[in-house]
Structures are given as structure tokens and as C-alpha cells.
């Protein structure tokens, strides 16, 4: 049962084929069996999950038809969960029991979902491998020597290995799409402003966006229906008419115009991925889509602009972690400055400190124009590239990542790691919605196809992804967990 | 663009991070590498481009002036490393 | 050498909203520590700001009142620095695009002349919390109740040329803010705070001298003292051949001196950048006009009306409109008593003296406008004389009963009974035969003395006009 999709589980629960308690217990058993190896969860909430499951079963008996009633979910550990430890993957929040719920958590709960626990992640969502987590790296279920991607690596690994039915993630530069690609699952980054950021521990406020990690596009639509919507607590959430994201899933792709950015099929792309994506696109052509090459001339600069804007915003967002009101404080500070400096230096990991340093430098007197302002100008150019492209095409398709999941500890310097996000990062700058769907295997590892649509056109993305999943079965492939575990032991 | 040790120290102080002498060089290298990546931006002319702060042209919403919060001090202060008489305690500020 | 003083003021005013600038916490003064600090105010991870519309309306109201340009597209920025009373590690403020742009304020100087002072800008920002340096186990206590209270920072041009001008500007600003009812603006409570940028330059020199910024000035009186001290200090430094260091100085009211805050000077680099959690505030003409329609009559306009409508002198009008409360008090008194000039005199002299003597605010006065108006009516209808009225006024301080009851109880009613007055006059003529004779001999001015004697004898209760008439009749 645990390998089923959300849609299937909903049907099974509604038909009385199983109960939420049974289902929740099954996932808890799977967690017990595999989390030690995968390290996908930082916190597992077995007791409260079972209590919620019982409540869900009772609610169903009483006639409730909430969309996610009784279905177990895992939340990335940067969503604040009242009464439950919320760490953002950092030592500095090792003891932080959130006094409130994130809007996303609240909505999932209101929809009847059962929270299994909190998933592992790169510290403060800064990373593409999950290795910067203070709680140890999560592993890729397809190969335990490989990273699950990041920063939502724990969520992706948990979904791939059936340690939950669905999970939440956040995407600042690719943090939903890249781990989804690496773990062979479906991940959706909605348009900026589509989902409330209230209660989501900020990395880079103008780029961060929450979205679902799940098994199919159909599930992603169901989850987005629950997550999306304006929130008075988030000034940057957008007030759009309520939309049923499942409504267009079965629309025909006849005449769909697909753009393939030449910059995303260029040097640096693993040739096997190149081939896999082109054959995936050929499947879409068979469904009636027409394909043309497009130009995104400022693609290369997106990563440069991103590594100014994200660290700059982060440098300020992370100033609140100062050892005064909550979180880690160093032992025996001699004075205030010592308390600040040691609490922060001991509480933050290396990558976080590096990005704070970069951001602080980029904003400092004399450098603002050359870095921050310049990056914001590039940001506009990147957005304009996409706007131009969308005059000619309906969706833009390419690889999610240039290579499949890499080995743990293999990225020796930050810059090499940063280049892993080369195809995903521009969307965050432009605020556009994007998805990664499984599109093949390279060296036994799953790879992802990225689909991009224009502002607020999530329904179009989901339609294309769903139609693709009707004619392919990459998303149905499962990692051989016990084998993987044995490999590790050997 | 390479950072000097003095610059590293200045930036670290602004960010309230502790960098030892031995770390300073490594930090300088790490930061300089990233600046190398960033500096590609300088190759393009953006004189006539307006900076973009938010992905979309949206306008700030205004909230009605109403007190919606209740006192949760005792509960919230349980999260604090040190508190007394309802106050958060910090080491004395050395003026 | 002759020096000219150049002053610019940065005034922080706490906007009197019910809730904070970006959260729904209360802003009441004097609450128990940290009971008005919610999860956003404590900068809990994941919390976000939502802007209080009332604060924006108040800022725009101020802007419209001083004829300023209103920012149609204003932007919040983060100002980054670490301090324990600043929970987020940045203050949300407005750098390049403030809500209120250039405007002006006209002040009246001691010699009666008027001077227009430029206001550079006024921007919204969050207040910080408070650090309590009393000893808590050798540590500092942090109270974040104040953190996030909306502030309007009003920055003047360096147009002020003396401490007195600075005080006149500050008082005018205070007056307008009180008229607009956008802040309590009580300096002693910190709801209005003033920093002064002070420099001096040789008379005739165009270029400004190096300035110092004086902080922590918490009364109008101290503004004058602190600036005067600082100007003298700068003169002394220059006369001794030294040079002025650009720095922040703290005013110590106890010692009446400013002193350097060197520790704060360590390379502040605030790394401002646009606050990504907030979007631009867009203000259209309709919004501005709607706010303009709510503006009360401001002191200058009101003063002019007092001159034209009530026939007051410009000076009296200026005194009466200095605060909205005083002007309201006067107008109520004038209307109820039917005599604006008498009302103006009583309010600006007797009442003002009373407030000064006791250090009262207007609303603390035991004599409110209704009772004062009644007193004036009793002068006008000859129930009491102007002189007796002073006695009644004094009695009203300790006796809250109505004016007539006090006059009655104290037997202060004017004697108008002609029989009683005639016997009084007869008695005075009999006791002062010489003066009576002098009058009869044509020295008519002596009548004043005789009236005075009658008044004295009646303990002021005789109606002086009637006495005068009877005296003239009896002596002719």
C-alpha cells in the first residue's frame, strides 16, 4: 500500500480498503526499517502521527471528505510546526520547538494530512546535496553512496523510498526540482507568491517558494490545490482566483508548443541525459506537441546573479540567529560581541557562513552597485529572456540537472556544486513555475526533465507532466531498498 | 577578485562571525572563488536596465490597525537561552 | 572670529497606532516587559511583516500637512546591524524612496519674524526594543515591547541657525503632529525624540563645517541647552586650533554636556537593501485626496482665522494656537462666553500662568472651558467686577462647584443696589472732605481716588461704574 500515489491512497481510504491508522503505521514501519540508512528524517513524530491518523479515521466515519484525509505527509524541516522541533538543518536551531505552524503546515493539516515528521535538508536550504545538514547527509535511495540532491533531499529521499506518501519542500534555486530529479520523483516549484511563505524559515525571501514532492503530476496537482492561495500573513503571496489544478490534467497536448533552450543542451550536459531528454521530448511530440529551439541568452549570468541576491538576502535573514531569544547560545560568553560571534560561528555550518560572508560583502559600502544592483539588473534580463521565449512557446523543456546524482563528498568546492543548479536557478530569479518529472535513467540513477511555464501557469505544467506520465513509466520505477541497504553494509 | 585577510576580518565582524587567523585564509579563498563566479556579471552592459527586486509587479497590501495578538510571553520565553523577570538576558554591552 | 551655527534636526515620532507597524501586537506604553511582543516581534524564524495601513495613512497625513511631495511608490529597506534590542538584526526603514518627500515648516521667531525651514523627508521605520542596564546577574535585560512600534523619522534641512530656532522648529513640529493626532509626541516618554546635527562655520563661509550628531535629547529645554553646549564646545576646539571630529555625541542632562560615543563609531556599514518581504507601497492621488479631506485646521490657518473672526492680535492668536488643545479651549470659552477678547485674555494670561505655576497640562486644569466661560459671562453681566473675577478664579481651583455658587457662597456678588451704594458714597465723601472739595473746585481727576475708596470700602463688590455716577451726582 505504501508505494501507492496520493490519488490511489485517497481512493483506497474512501473505499474502506485501508485506514489511516494502518497506513500511518505502515509508513512508520518503513521509516523504522530504512531511515537509519537514508537519514531522510530529522524528527519522526510517531505518536502524534498515529493520533492524527485515528482522528482522520474518525472524521471519515463522521462524513469528512477533506482532500488529504488520513494521508501521511512529511514536512521539510524548515516549515515551522507548533510543538515540534524545527531545525532548518542547523545546529543553531537544534533545540527550537516552534511556537506556531507554517501556513503550509496548517493547510495540510486542515486538509486532513497526517504528519509523520520533519525531513532532512541542507542547512538553511543552502546546498544541492543535503551534505550541509548538521544532522548528517541524507542518502539517495537509488544508491546509498550518492546524494539525494538538495536542499529538499530528505523529502525527496523519503518520497522515493516510500517513507511517506507525499512531502513538502522549498525551492530557492532548484531545491525541489533537483532532488526530485536525483531521486526519480515528481517535484513542483510553483510561481513565486503562489504559496504562502509564512512559517517557512527564510533563505532568500524573493526567491523562496514552497511546493510538493510526490510520485506523480496528478498528486502534485492535488497537493498544490491544498497549498496554494493568498495568505494575509505573507505580503508577497499573490491574490489570484481559486483554481483547480487537477482540472486540465487530461487536456490534449495537440499543438502544444515546446521550446528547447539551446543553452540547456550545451557544453557541460551529460550526453546520456541529453539523449534521455530528447527522447522524452519525442514522446511529447507523439502526443501532438511541436518543438522548436529557443534562445535564453542570459542563462549563464543567472547563476552569477543568483549567488549575489540569494546570499545578500540570506545574510540579513540569518541575522536573527543571535543567541538572544531562542536557539543556540555559546558557553560562557565574555561579552555581547563574544556571544554573537561564537554563537553564530559555532551554530552555523561552513556553507552557511560562506554565503553570509558573500552576501555581507556584496552589500557592503562601495560594492552595492557592482554586485547587488548589478545582480538585480541581470535578474530583469533573465526574466525578459523567458518573457520573450513565452511569446513563441507554451512550455520550455530541458534537463533538470546536467548530471545524475553525484557521490557523497565528491564536490570539493562550492563553485562546482553551484553549477549543478545551472538549469533550475533562472526560474527563481524570474519567479516562474517549474517541475521536474522522471525521464529516464543514467548509470542506474534516475534523471529529471524540467518543464517550465509562464507566470501562474502551473495548470499547464501539470497537464504536460501528467500526459507525459500517461505514456511513460519512469515515475513508476522504484529503488531496490533492501539491496541498496546491503550494498552499504558490504 | 581575491579578498585580503583584512577584508575578511571586516566582513566577518559585520556579520558577527568569528574567524581565526588560520581560518581567514581559507575563508578568503572560498569567498574569492565565488566572487569569481559572480564577476561574470560584469561582462555585460546593464546601463539601461532597471533593477528587479521582486519577480512580479505587485503592490504592498495594507493591514487594518487592529491588535490581534495576545500575551504569550511565558510560553515564548521558554525558548530563550536566558531570561529573568520577563526579560531576555544578554551579556553586558561593553561601551 | 565670528561663527555661524548650522543645525539640522532628525525627529523620531512614534505613530499612535493601536498595533505595531508590521504585526498585530499592541503598542501601549508602560506594559509589563515582553507582554506586547509576539512571534514576529521576537523575530521567530519564518515570520513575515504585514504593513499597518493606519501608519501609512498617518505618514501621508503628515506629508500633506507640511505640503510635502508624497512618494507614489515608496519602498522599505533593511538597515543591517546587530544589537540585542533589534531582534531581526535589521531595522526595516525607508532609504531611497521615503513615503514623504520634501516639504516645509514655517516657524515664528522671538522677534516675531517668520522663517521657512525645509523638511528633507519623512520616512516610516520600526522602533527598537529597550535594553535595561540594571544588573540582572551582571547581565543586560531586553524588553521588546517597543520593538516594531511605528516611527516617522522627520529630517530637516540644515536651515536652523541657532538653538532657539531649533526649539521653535521642534515646537512647531510638535504642534502640527498634535493637531494631526498622529502621535502623543511626549518627549519625556520617548514618543518624540530628537537628534541634532550641529556644526559651525566662520560667518560668510559657504561651506558647512564638520558636524557632530547629538543624541538622547529628551525635552525642548535640553534641545536648547545641548545645542548651546555643543556650539560652544566646537568654538573652543576651533579657537584652540583643533578640528572637529565627525562623531555621535550623547547629551548628558545632569552634567549639561555632550560627550563622545566613540565605541559606536566603529565603522558602521548598514548594508541597506530593499526589504524582500515587503512590496512597494503604491499611493495614488485619490488616496492622497482622501487623506487631505481628513486634515484638521492647522495652527497657521487657525491663527489667521482667530485674527479675522475674533479680532485677536496676531500675537495672541499665535499663543492660543500653539497647541490644538489650547486653541480648542479658547474657542469653546469664546463661544460660550460670547466675548472672544476677554476669553483670549483669560486663556493666554490667567489660565496660562496657572498651568505654568503647577506644571499642569491643559486637561489637568481644574478650570475647564465651560466654567471659565461662565466666569466671563458674570463679568459681562456685571454680577462681578473683573477684579473680583480673579478672586473667583482662584476659588475655582479648590472648589469644583459652579461659578454662581462660588460667587454666592463667598458673598462676592457685585453691589448694584443704588440705596446701598449711595450710603457708601456718602460715607466716603464724609471721610474725605478735602478730596471732595478738590473735585468741586474743578480737579476732576480726583474722582478716581474717591471711586477707589468706595471700592475698597465695599471690598471690591461695588459696581465701579455706578459708584462713579453717584459720586459725580453728589459732588456736582
Amino acid at each position: 500500500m505504501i508505494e501507492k500515489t496520493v490519488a490511489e491512497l485517497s481512493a483506497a481510504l474512501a473505499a474502506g480498503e485501508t485506514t489511516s491508522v494502518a497506513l500511518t503505521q505502515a509508513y512508520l514501519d518503513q521509516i523504522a526499517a530504512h531511515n537509519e540508512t537514508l537519514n531522510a528524517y530529522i524528527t519522526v513524530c510517531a505518536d502524534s502521527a498515529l493520533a492524527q491518523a485515528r482522528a482522520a479515521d474518525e472524521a471519515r466515519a463522521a462524513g469528512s471528505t477533506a482532500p488529504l484525509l488520513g494521508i501521511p505527509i512529511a514536512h521539510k524541516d524548515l516549515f515551522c510546526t507548533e510543538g515540534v522541533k524545527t531545525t532548518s538543518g542547523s545546529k543553531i536551531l537544534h533545540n527550537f520547538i516552534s511556537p506556531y505552524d507554517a501556513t503550509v503546515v496548517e493547510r495540510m493539516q486542515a486538509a486532513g494530512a497526517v504528519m509523520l515528521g520533519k525531513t532532512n535538508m541542507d542547512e538553511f536550504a543552502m546546498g544541492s546535496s543535503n551534505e550541509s545538514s548538521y544532522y548528517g547527509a541524507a542518502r539517495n535511495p537509488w544508491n546509498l553512496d550518492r546524494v539525494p540532491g538538495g536542499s529538499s533531499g530528505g523529502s525527496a529521499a523519503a518520497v522515493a523510498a516510500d517513507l511517506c506518501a507525499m512531502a513538502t519542500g522549498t525551492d530557492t534555486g532548484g531545491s525541489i526540482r533537483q532532488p526530485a530529479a536525483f531521486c526519480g520523483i515528481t517535484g513542483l516549484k510553483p510561481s513565486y507568491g503562489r504559496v504562502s511563505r509564512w512559517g517557512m524559515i527564510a533563505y532568500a525571501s524573493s526567491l523562496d517558494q514552497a511546493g510538493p514532492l510526490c510520485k506523480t503530476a496528478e498528486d502534485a496537482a492535488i497537493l498544490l490545490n491544498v497549498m496554494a492561495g493568498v495568505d494575509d500573513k505573507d505580503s508577497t503571496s499573490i491574490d489570484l482566483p481559486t483554481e483547480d489544478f487537477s482540472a486540465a490534467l487530461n487536456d490534449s497536448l495537440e499543438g502544444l508548443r515546446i521550446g528547447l533552450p539551446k543553452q540547456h543542451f550545451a557544453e557541460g550536459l551529460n550526453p546520456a541525459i541529453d539523449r534521455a531528454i530528447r527522447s522524452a521530448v519525442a514522446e511529447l511530440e507523439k502526443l501532438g506537441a511541436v518543438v522548436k529551439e529557443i534562445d535564453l541568452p542570459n542563462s549563464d549570468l543567472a547563476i552569477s546573479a543568483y549567488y549575489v541576491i540569494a546570499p545578500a538576502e540570506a545574510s540579513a535573514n540569518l541575522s536573527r540567529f543571535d543567541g538572544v531569544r531562542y536557539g543556540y547560545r555559546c558557553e560562557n560568553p565574555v561579552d555581547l560581541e563574544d556571544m554573537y560571534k561564537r554563537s553564530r560561528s559555532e551554530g552555523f555550518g561552513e556553507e552557511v557562513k560562506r554565503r553570509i560572508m558573500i552576501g555581507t560583502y556584496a552589500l557592503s559600502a562601495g560594492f552595492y552597485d557592482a554586485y547587488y544592483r548589478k545582480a538585480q539588473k541581470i535578474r530583469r534580463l533573465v526574466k525578459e529572456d523567458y518573457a520573450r521565449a513565452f511569446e513563441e512557446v507554451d512550455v520550455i523543456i530541458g534537463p533538470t540537472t546536467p548530471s545524475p546524482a553525484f557521490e557523497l563528498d565528491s564536490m570539493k568546492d562550492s563553485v562546482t556544486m553551484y553549477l549543478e543548479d545551472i538549469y533550475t536557478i533562472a526560474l527563481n530569479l524570474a519567479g516562474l513555475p517549474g517541475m521536474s518529472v522522471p525521464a529516464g535513467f543514467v548509470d542506474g540513477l534516475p534523471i529529471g526533465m524540467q518543464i517550465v511555464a509562464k507566470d501562474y501557469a502551473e495548470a499547464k505544467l501539470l497537464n504536460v507532466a501528467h500526459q507525459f506520465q500517461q505514456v511513460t513509466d519512469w515515475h513508476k520505477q522504484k529503488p531496490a531498498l533492501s539491496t541498496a541497504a546491503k550494498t552499504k553494509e558490504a | 577578485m581575491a579578498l585580503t585577510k583584512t577584508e575578511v576580518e571586516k566582513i566577518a565582524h559585520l556579520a558577527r562571525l568569528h574567524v581565526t587567523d588560520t581560518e581567514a585564509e581559507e575563508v578568503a579563498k572560498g569567498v574569492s572563488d565565488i566572487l569569481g563566479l559572480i564577476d561574470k556579471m560584469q561582462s555585460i552592459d546593464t546601463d539601461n536596465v532597471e533593477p528587479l527586486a521582486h519577480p512580479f509587479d505587485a503592490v504592498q497590501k495594507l493591514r487594518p490597525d487592529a491588535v490581534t495578538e495576545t500575551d504569550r510571553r511565558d510560553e515564548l520565553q521558554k525558548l530563550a537561552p536566558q531570561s529573568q523577570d520577563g526579560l531576555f538576558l544578554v551579556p553586558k554591552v561593553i561601551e | 572670529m565670528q561663527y555661524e551655527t548650522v543645525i539640522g534636526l532628525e525627529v523620531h515620532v512614534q505613530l499612535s497606532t493601536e498595533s505595531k507597524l508590521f504585526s498585530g501586537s499592541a503598542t501601549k506604553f508602560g506594559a509589563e516587559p515582553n507582554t506586547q511582543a509576539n512571534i514576529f516581534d521576537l523575530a521567530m524564524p519564518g515570520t513575515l511583516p504585514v504593513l499597518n495601513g493606519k501608519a501609512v495613512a498617518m505618514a501621508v497625513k503628515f506629508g500633506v500637512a507640511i505640503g510635502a511631495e508624497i512618494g507614489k511608490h515608496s519602498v522599505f529597506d533593511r538597515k543591517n546591524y546587530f544589537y540585542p534590542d533589534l531582534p531581526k538584526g535589521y531595522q526595516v526603514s525607508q532609504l531611497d524612496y521615503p513615503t514623504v518627500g520634501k516639504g516645509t515648516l514655517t516657524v515664528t521667531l522671538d522677534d516675531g519674524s517668520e522663517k521657512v525651514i525645509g523638511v528633507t523627508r519623512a520616512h516610516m521605520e520600526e522602533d527598537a526594543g529597550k535594553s535595561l542596564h540594571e544588573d540582572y546577574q551582571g547581565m543586560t535585560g531586553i524588553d521588546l515591547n517597543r520593538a516594531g512600534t511605528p516611527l516617522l523619522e522627520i529630517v530637516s534641512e540644515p536651515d536652523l541657525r541657532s538653538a532657539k530656532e531649533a526649539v521653535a522648529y521642534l515646537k512647531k513640529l510638535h504642534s502640527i503632529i498634535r493637531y494631526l493626532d498622529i502621535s502623543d509626541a511626549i518627549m519625556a516618554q520617548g514618543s518624540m525624540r530628537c537628534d541634532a546635527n550641529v556644526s559651525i562655520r566662520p560667518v560668510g563661509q559657504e561651506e558647512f563645517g564638520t558636524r557632530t550628531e547629538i543624541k538622547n535629547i529628551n525635552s525642548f529645554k535640553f534641545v536648547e541647552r545641548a545645542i548651546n553646549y555643543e556650539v560652544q564646545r566646537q568654538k573652543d576646539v576651533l579657537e584652540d586650533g583643533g578640528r572637529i571630529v565627525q562623531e555621535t555625541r550623547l547629551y548628558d542632562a545632569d552634567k549639561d554636556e555632550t560627550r563622545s560615543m566613540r565605541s559606536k563609531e566603529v565603522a558602521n556599514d548598514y548594508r541597506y537593501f530593499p526589504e524582500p518581504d515587503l512590496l512597494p507601497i503604491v499611493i495614488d492621488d485619490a488616496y492622497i485626496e482622501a487623506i487631505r479631506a481628513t486634515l484638521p485646521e492647522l495652527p497657521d490657518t487657525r491663527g489667521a482665522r482667530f485674527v479675522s473672526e475674533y479680532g485677536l492680535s496676531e500675537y495672541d492668536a499665535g499663543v492660543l494656537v500653539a497647541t490644538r488643545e489650547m486653541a480648542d479651549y479658547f474657542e469653546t470659552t469664546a463661544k460660550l462666553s460670547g466675548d472672544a477678547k476677554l476669553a483670549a485674555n483669560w486663556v493666554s494670561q490667567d489660565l496660562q500662568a496657572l498651568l505654568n505655576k503647577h506644571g499642569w497640562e491643559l486637561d489637568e486644569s481644574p478650570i475647564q472651558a465651560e466654567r471659565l466661560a461662565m466666569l466671563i459671562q458674570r463679568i459681562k453681566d456685571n454680577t462681578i467686577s473683573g477684579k473680583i473675577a480673579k478672586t473667583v478664579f482662584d476659588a475655582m481651583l479648590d472648589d469644583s462647584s459652579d461659578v454662581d455658587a462660588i460667587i454666592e457662597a463667598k458673598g462676592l456678588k457685585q453691589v448694584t443696589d443704588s440705596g446701598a451704594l449711595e450710603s457708601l458714597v456718602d460715607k466716603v465723601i464724609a471721610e474725605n472732605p478735602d478730596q471732595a472739595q478738590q473735585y468741586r473746585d474743578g480737579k476732576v481727576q480726583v474722582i478716581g481716588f474717591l471711586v477707589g475708596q468706595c471700592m475698597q470700602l465695599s471690598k471690591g463688590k461695588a459696581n465701579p461704574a455706578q459708584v462713579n455716577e453717584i459720586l459725580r451726582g453728589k459732588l456736582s
Side-chain angles (χ1 to χ4, degrees), chain A residues 149-481:
Chain A
S151 63
S152 312
S155 287
V159 170
D162 299 324
L163 268 56
C164 60
M166 56 191 177
T168 53
T170 59
D171 190 316
T172 306
S175 283
I176 287 174
R177 292 159 287 157
Q178 185 252 22
F182 279 11
C183 292
I185 62 164
T186 300
L188 167 63
K189 179 204 103 69
S191 309
Y192 184 80
R194 181 66 96 171
V195 177
S196 169
R197 293 186 298 114
W198 172 262
M200 205 175 107
I201 299 177
Y203 160 20
S205 310
S206 77
L207 303 165
D208 293 343
Q209 184 60 206
L213 291 107
C214 47
K215 291 167 184 170
T216 61
E218 184 186 20
D219 282 5
I222 294 169
L223 293 175
L224 188 60
N225 278 338
V226 173
M227 293 172 85
V230 69
D231 181 4
D232 288 342
K233 294 176 188 153
D234 175 3
S235 299
T236 62
S237 72
I238 306 268
D239 198 357
L240 293 167
T242 311
E243 196 179 336
D244 177 4
F245 295 102
S246 302
L249 288 176
N250 292 313
D251 285 3
S252 160
L253 298 191
E254 191 61 48
L256 177 82
R257 298 169 302 165
I258 296 174
L260 303 183
K262 62 181 180 193
Q263 286 84 358
H264 291 191
F265 292 89
E267 201 195 324
L269 176 62
N270 178 311
I273 294 185
D274 189 320
R275 285 192 296 276
I277 299 302
R278 288 187 193 277
S279 67
V281 170
E283 291 296 330
L284 293 170
E285 282 183 284
K286 285 186 209 158
L287 296 174
V290 290
V291 175
K292 70 180 287 188
E293 185 178 78
I294 58 161
D295 189 13
L296 299 171
N298 295 295
S299 285
D300 286 355
L301 295 175
I303 209 151
S304 306
Y306 176 89
Y307 277 101
V308 173
I309 293 169
E313 292 182 5
S315 72
N317 282 335
L318 270 57
S319 291
R320 65 188 59 202
F321 303 103
D322 58 3
V324 177
R325 300 162 310 285
Y326 51 80
Y328 177 78
R329 179 188 287 192
C330 68
E331 295 286 333
N332 306 316
V334 298
D335 60 23
L336 183 68
E337 188 167 311
D338 184 48
M339 185 200 73
Y340 279 146
K341 289 187 175 174
R342 282 203 292 126
S343 299
R344 289 167 59 78
S345 292
E346 293 166 16
F348 291 138
E350 292 312 311
E351 183 60 26
V352 169
K353 284 189 268 193
R354 194 152 35 237
R355 294 198 195 185
I356 292 175
M357 290 287 287
I358 289 283
T360 304
Y361 181 75
L363 291 172
S364 65
F367 296 104
Y368 183 87
D369 284 352
Y371 288 116
Y372 193 78
R373 203 175 152 78
K374 182 85 181 181
Q376 286 205 327
K377 290 177 164 201
I378 305 276
R379 185 173 191 173
R380 184 174 297 278
L381 295 179
V382 168
K383 188 172 165 60
E384 285 170 356
D385 276 0
Y386 278 90
R388 252 192 314 278
F390 281 121
E391 286 170 9
E392 298 175 47
V393 299
D394 302 310
V395 291
I396 295 171
I397 288 180
T400 307
T401 61
S403 50
F406 45 88
E407 287 183 5
L408 283 151
D409 294 325
S410 66
M411 291 287 175
K412 292 304 177 200
D413 70 281
S414 306
V415 171
T416 318
M417 176 95 81
Y418 294 174
L419 294 171
E420 286 297 310
D421 294 331
I422 191 145
Y423 307 137
T424 50
I425 235 163
L427 269 63
N428 299 81
L429 292 172
L432 300 169
M435 274 186 92
S436 180
V437 293
F441 285 83
V442 170
D443 305 332
L445 295 164
I447 58 137
M449 170 170 74
Q450 176 171 250
I451 314 170
V452 184
K454 61 177 112 179
D455 307 350
Y456 314 123
E458 285 87 348
K460 175 62 75 182
L461 279 186
L462 289 160
N463 169 222
V464 175
H466 181 67
Q467 290 306 305
F468 179 71
Q469 290 181 339
Q470 299 310 296
V471 296
T472 57
D473 63 359
W474 305 116
H475 61 289
K476 292 181 179 161
Q477 308 302 309
K478 285 290 182 186
L481 275 188

Side-chain angles (χ1 to χ4, degrees), chain C residues 9-249:
Chain C
L9 296 185
E10 289 170 17
V11 179
H12 287 86
V13 174
Q14 277 183 349
L15 297 174
S16 51
T17 52
E18 296 293 320
S19 64
K20 292 187 178 178
L21 185 54
F22 297 121
S23 85
S25 295
T27 55
K28 284 202 183 69
F29 182 78
E32 282 295 302
N34 289 309
T35 55
Q36 292 179 172
N38 79 339
I39 53 176
F40 174 81
D41 309 315
L42 298 189
M44 287 289 167
T47 56
L48 296 168
V50 187
L51 182 58
N52 186 336
K54 184 85 175 285
V56 178
M58 285 176 161
V60 170
K61 196 170 178 184
F62 174 77
V64 173
I66 63 160
E69 299 160 19
I70 302 300
K72 297 280 178 70
H73 186 98
S74 50
V75 175
F76 281 107
D77 297 281
R78 291 183 182 179
K79 177 184 182 180
N80 296 283
Y81 65 95
F82 283 87
Y83 207 72
D85 62 17
L86 187 72
K88 296 191 291 296
Y90 54 83
Q91 178 192 32
V92 177
S93 182
Q94 297 180 313
L95 180 67
D96 292 328
Y97 303 98
T99 296
V100 179
K102 272 187 186 303
T104 56
L105 214 66
T106 304
V107 299
T108 308
L109 304 178
D110 280 355
D111 62 2
S113 67
E114 289 193 336
K115 181 168 175 177
V116 176
I117 307 298
V119 172
T120 315
R121 57 184 286 160
H123 62 261
M124 285 185 276
E125 62 185 28
E126 308 169 281
D127 207 344
K130 281 181 179 162
S131 301
L132 305 168
H133 296 290
E134 294 96 52
D135 220 16
Y136 296 96
Q137 306 164 41
M139 303 182 85
T140 295
I142 306 294
D143 174 10
L144 297 172
N145 279 348
R146 199 179 67 176
T149 299
L151 293 177
L152 188 66
E153 178 174 342
I154 303 156
V155 182
S156 86
E157 293 286 323
D159 288 349
L160 303 159
R161 291 292 173 269
S162 70
K164 278 198 186 313
E165 281 187 26
V167 172
Y169 165 83
L170 196 60
K171 284 192 168 162
K172 187 60 176 282
L173 197 58
H174 181 267
S175 162
I176 288 177
I177 286 160
R178 293 294 313 128
Y179 266 80
L180 297 174
D181 199 19
I182 57 171
S183 173
D184 300 337
I186 302 169
M187 290 190 83
Q189 285 183 3
S191 52
M192 179 166 174
R193 285 167 249 160
C194 176
D195 299 338
N197 288 304
V198 178
S199 66
I200 59 173
R201 62 181 171 190
V203 170
Q205 180 182 305
E206 190 116 336
E207 214 179 302
F208 290 132
T210 304
R211 67 164 198 260
T212 58
E213 184 181 6
I214 316 172
K215 288 198 177 286
N216 196 35
I217 322 179
N218 57 12
S219 80
F220 292 111
K221 190 171 67 185
F222 294 156
V223 169
E224 186 165 355
R225 286 195 193 165
I227 292 172
N228 282 334
Y229 174 88
E230 180 59 16
V231 166
Q232 191 55 49
R233 187 193 68 85
Q234 291 189 10
K235 279 183 189 163
D236 291 347
V237 169
L238 294 181
E239 305 271 289
D240 289 349
R243 42 182 284 273
I244 307 299
V245 183
Q246 185 168 344
E247 62 179 355
T248 303
R249 299 180 68 86

Side-chain angles (χ1 to χ4, degrees), chain C residues 366-378 381 383-384 389 391-413:
Chain C
I367 302 173
Q368 289 301 311
E370 293 70 20
R371 287 215 299 164
L372 181 59
M374 184 53 76
L375 182 67
I376 293 169
Q377 276 189 7
R378 290 298 166 258
D381 67 11
T383 307
I384 52 172
T391 311
V392 177
F393 185 81
D394 288 341
M396 285 160 73
L397 286 182
D398 303 316
D399 188 341
S400 61
S401 20
D402 73 45
V403 173
D404 288 338
I406 294 174
I407 293 170
E408 192 64 41
K410 298 215 176 249
L412 294 171
K413 202 165 182 177

Side-chain angles (χ1 to χ4, degrees), chain C residues 210-406:
Chain C
T210 304
R211 67 164 198 260
T212 58
E213 184 181 6
I214 316 172
K215 288 198 177 286
N216 196 35
I217 322 179
N218 57 12
S219 80
F220 292 111
K221 190 171 67 185
F222 294 156
V223 169
E224 186 165 355
R225 286 195 193 165
I227 292 172
N228 282 334
Y229 174 88
E230 180 59 16
V231 166
Q232 191 55 49
R233 187 193 68 85
Q234 291 189 10
K235 279 183 189 163
D236 291 347
V237 169
L238 294 181
E239 305 271 289
D240 289 349
R243 42 182 284 273
I244 307 299
V245 183
Q246 185 168 344
E247 62 179 355
T248 303
R249 299 180 68 86
L250 202 68
Y251 178 67
D252 182 334
D254 295 333
K255 294 183 182 155
D256 188 24
E257 62 175 30
T258 66
R259 60 169 182 272
S260 179
M261 296 171 70
R262 284 204 184 80
S263 62
K264 292 267 164 109
E265 291 304 302
V266 188
N268 269 334
D269 181 346
Y270 292 123
R271 292 157 283 135
Y272 280 98
F273 74 101
E275 159 62 301
D277 286 332
L278 292 164
L279 300 168
I281 309 166
V282 173
I283 292 172
D284 59 17
D285 288 332
Y287 182 90
I288 296 172
E289 290 318 310
I291 298 271
R292 195 189 305 282
T294 69
L295 280 190
E297 191 182 25
L298 291 167
D300 290 351
T301 322
R302 199 168 193 186
R305 181 166 64 79
F306 282 6
V307 171
S308 62
E309 187 174 330
Y310 299 118
L312 304 188
S313 70
E314 291 210 4
Y315 178 83
D316 282 350
V319 170
L320 290 170
V321 297
T323 69
R324 183 178 184 167
E325 292 78 7
M326 185 65 80
D328 287 347
Y329 189 109
F330 158 72
E331 279 213 275
T332 308
T333 310
K335 288 203 171 108
L336 293 177
S337 69
D339 191 324
K341 283 195 177 156
L342 265 181
N345 287 340
W346 276 90
V347 173
S348 63
Q349 290 163 28
D350 302 85
L351 181 76
Q352 193 62 58
L354 179 73
L355 299 180
N356 290 345
K357 183 178 164 198
H358 296 277
W360 283 330
E361 292 299 323
L362 196 50
D363 62 359
E364 294 171 295
S365 164
I367 302 173
Q368 289 301 311
E370 293 70 20
R371 287 215 299 164
L372 181 59
M374 184 53 76
L375 182 67
I376 293 169
Q377 276 189 7
R378 290 298 166 258
I379 300 169
K380 285 176 50 107
D381 67 11
N382 287 330
T383 307
I384 52 172
S385 66
K387 193 163 174 214
I388 285 294
K390 311 266 182 202
T391 311
V392 177
F393 185 81
D394 288 341
M396 285 160 73
L397 286 182
D398 303 316
D399 188 341
S400 61
S401 20
D402 73 45
V403 173
D404 288 338
I406 294 174

